[in-house]
Amino acid sequence: MSHSIRENIKQIRSEIGNIKLVVVSKYRTIAELHEVYETDQRDFGENKVQELVNKYNELPKDIKWHIIGHLQSNKVKYIAPFVDLIHSVDSLKLLQIVNKEAEKQDRIISFLFQLHIAQEDSKYGLLEHQLSDILSSNILPLLKNVKCKGLMGMATNTTNTVQVEKEFTALKLIYDKYSEENQWDTLSMGMSGDYPQAISCGSTMIRVGSKIFN
Ligand SMILES: *Cc1c(COP(=O)(O)O)cnc(C)c1O
């Protein structure tokens, strides 16, 4: 198995050039994460706060931790001391809490707005008009301890690549519309099943789990 984790990461790196790889380590053991770390991988993603905190405590401190799943306001305080990038900001209210907790830690926390691009309604995220409202709100400039780096989105879980590319293209268009004036540099889209499409549609960061560990 250790052989395959290394080989899988090597294979993915060879396909993606300078696109940033976040290894999604949810459900995986500390031993497996050590194997990933040994390949010089430093960006790891988790979708649950408790699991992220546990792994942070057990693993080397030069790892950059990404929270990629839905984030509850009352859990922000647990990750605020160390989180590198929050991919899942989906309300101004949540962002205000992140800012408050970042201020307590004397940090500036980087984040992405999560956009809803899939057809499934189970997925979280903002619609474009909601993003636009937040970006133009007079509260946003007051939040000095958070920094927006861009957008994140998840495509519909389907083998229909036309559908998936349509959704990624829609997200890229929204990204392009706002990225210059906001000095964004990160478009987080693409997972095990769809990262080649995401990259062809302009992704700068992919989040890959099962393809590495299975
Ligand atoms: C689990 C997860 C991933 C990785 O999914 P895989 O299909 O295992 O690569 C990416 N992004 C989010 C938000 C996730 O929850």
Side-chain angles (χ1 to χ4, degrees):
M1 167 163 51
S2 64
H3 179 70
S4 80
I5 288 179
R6 257 201 316 277
E7 289 304 309
N8 292 343
I9 290 183
K10 205 170 134 190
Q11 170 63 33
I12 292 168
R13 284 200 189 121
S14 75
E15 295 168 18
I16 68 174
N18 54 13
I19 308 290
K20 173 83 87 180
L21 170 65
V22 176
V23 169
V24 177
S25 51
K26 64 189 184 198
Y27 317 135
R28 305 301 166 176
T29 64
I30 298 294
E32 287 174 302
L33 271 67
H34 269 295
E35 283 186 42
V36 174
Y37 183 88
E38 292 302 313
T39 71
D40 291 333
Q41 177 69 27
R42 290 297 177 270
D43 290 87
F44 289 73
E46 288 285 335
N47 66 345
K48 296 225 164 62
V49 165
Q50 189 58 57
E51 200 173 335
L52 191 154
V53 170
N54 292 346
K55 285 172 174 168
Y56 167 77
N57 287 328
E58 300 273 335
L59 286 155
K61 293 297 172 279
D62 62 342
I63 289 176
K64 294 176 179 171
W65 289 101
H66 298 241
I67 185 91
I68 59 175
H70 182 66
L71 181 57
Q72 287 172 278
S73 302
N74 61 349
K75 303 227 167 121
V76 173
K77 58 177 178 284
Y78 302 115
I79 59 170
F82 65 89
V83 71
D84 189 74
L85 182 63
I86 299 174
H87 290 232
S88 46
V89 170
D90 59 2
S91 73
L92 188 52
K93 192 173 147 273
L94 175 61
L95 190 58
Q96 287 174 285
I97 289 163
V98 173
N99 184 70
K100 191 183 76 183
E101 295 298 334
E103 203 178 337
K104 284 188 200 163
Q105 301 295 330
D106 200 18
R107 297 186 66 208
I108 294 174
I109 295 181
S110 296
F111 74 92
L112 309 175
F113 285 112
Q114 182 174 355
L115 271 277
H116 179 100
I117 54 168
Q119 279 187 331
E120 299 140 33
D121 27 270
S122 62
K123 302 227 166 117
Y124 296 97
L126 298 162
L127 299 174
E128 188 189 351
H129 74 271
Q130 297 170 314
L131 172 71
S132 165
D133 286 350
I134 293 176
L135 291 176
S136 58
S137 95
N138 48 23
I139 295 174
L140 195 60
L142 305 176
L143 307 180
K144 304 291 187 201
N145 289 76
V146 287
K147 178 157 180 36
C148 187
K149 300 279 200 177
L151 303 178
M152 183 273 256
M154 290 166 83
T156 304
N157 183 10
T158 171
T159 53
N160 180 350
T161 55
V162 174
Q163 173 69 23
V164 167
E165 280 177 13
K166 203 170 105 191
E167 292 169 1
F168 284 147
T169 300
L171 182 58
K172 171 71 157 95
L173 282 173
I174 299 170
Y175 178 82
D176 285 346
K177 189 160 153 189
Y178 300 100
S179 68
E180 207 169 285
E181 67 178 292
N182 293 288
Q183 294 173 302
W184 290 348
D185 60 11
T186 304
L187 179 54
S188 169
M189 60 182 196
M191 318 187 352
S192 293
D194 57 21
Y195 71 85
Q197 287 95 329
I199 290 171
S200 73
C201 294
S203 170
T204 70
M205 180 181 275
I206 61 173
R207 312 175 308 272
V208 180
S210 46
K211 188 161 181 188
I212 289 167
F213 295 101
N214 290 342

